[in-house]
Amino acid sequence: TMEWLPTQDAPQYVAVVPGIYRAGLPVLEANWADRLPVEALDIARALAPRFEEITLRTAQGPNTVTHGDTRLDNIFFARDGSGRVAFIDFQLSLRARGVADIAYMISNSVPHEIARQHWRALLQRWLDGLARHGVRYDADEALHHYREAVLYYLSGAMSLVGTFDAGNDRGAAMTEAYVTRSLNHVVDCGAGQVL
């Protein structure tokens, strides 16, 4: 009901995000191919002409308020054992599928080997948490939506390789982790199946 929050198919996103994706793809191919699986590059290429389609599909709901940038840099955990969690940096919040925040966090904040082994269990844990609070989300539908979100958020990787100035060693390490984790996760979670 928060109609003031944009959706992923808002005109400003449809006008800009696909272009960011396509501008980064040649840079990814030229400078990152030796660090990525061939299948990931194939999926990235196949997505390029269909990016608007994925954008529109991810906006179809079910929608809730999403953070939009669920990197671990933006999440704080209480040290007192209470389980409290705090999020910062809400500038990219949207009305979108909640699973998008889960896909974003796992695909770029979880080290590749851990994500590969545990992404399905983490997704299921989130679904179980929803169910405990009375929210029903079909597991097959959630998986499909998760894979679409993983593809959509490759736009962040393309932004980093295409236009981002890392500036220092920490920025370069963040870029390396984000790009390699995201592209590996596309393969590991079978995101190409939803193209």
Side-chain angles (χ1 to χ4, degrees), residues 30-152:
N31 300 334
W32 292 77
D34 61 334
R35 295 176 263 183
L36 301 170
V38 171
E39 187 180 352
L41 292 169
D42 291 343
I43 293 168
R45 289 182 195 107
L47 176 58
R50 299 182 63 188
F51 200 88
E52 286 85 354
E53 176 190 335
I54 288 293
T55 300
L56 297 176
R57 284 166 45 189
T58 60
Q60 291 177 2
N63 288 337
T64 188
V65 176
T66 61
H67 183 275
D69 193 11
T70 49
R71 293 177 294 117
L72 287 180
D73 285 352
N74 291 332
I75 306 171
F76 294 84
F77 303 90
R79 291 183 174 187
D80 63 6
S82 66
R84 291 179 303 155
V85 178
F87 288 78
I88 62 167
D89 193 4
F90 284 85
Q91 68 187 11
L92 298 176
S93 291
L94 297 168
R95 279 180 295 138
R97 295 172 178 160
V99 74
D101 277 345
I102 306 305
Y104 187 91
M105 182 169 44
I106 293 171
S107 69
N108 73 61
S109 286
V110 179
H112 173 232
E113 291 302 321
I114 295 171
R116 180 169 51 190
Q117 292 175 17
H118 301 288
W119 72 271
R120 277 189 186 266
L122 292 168
L123 177 60
Q124 188 59 55
R125 182 176 180 170
W126 178 72
L127 290 171
D128 293 345
L130 290 178
R132 280 193 305 277
H133 293 283
V135 178
R136 301 287 178 243
Y137 196 165
D138 178 77
D140 291 335
E141 184 179 37
L143 176 59
H144 187 85
H145 293 165
Y146 179 93
R147 288 173 169 152
E148 287 178 338
V150 167
L151 291 174
Y152 177 83

Side-chain angles (χ1 to χ4, degrees), residues 132-185:
R132 280 193 305 277
H133 293 283
V135 178
R136 301 287 178 243
Y137 196 165
D138 178 77
D140 291 335
E141 184 179 37
L143 176 59
H144 187 85
H145 293 165
Y146 179 93
R147 288 173 169 152
E148 287 178 338
V150 167
L151 291 174
Y152 177 83
Y153 282 120
L154 285 181
S155 59
M158 297 305 180
S159 173
L160 290 174
V161 301
T163 61
F164 182 71
D165 178 10
N168 57 36
D169 290 343
R170 184 182 185 284
M174 185 209 66
T175 300
E176 174 80 20
Y178 188 116
V179 173
T180 58
R181 288 173 181 172
S182 296
L183 271 293
N184 274 286
H185 195 61

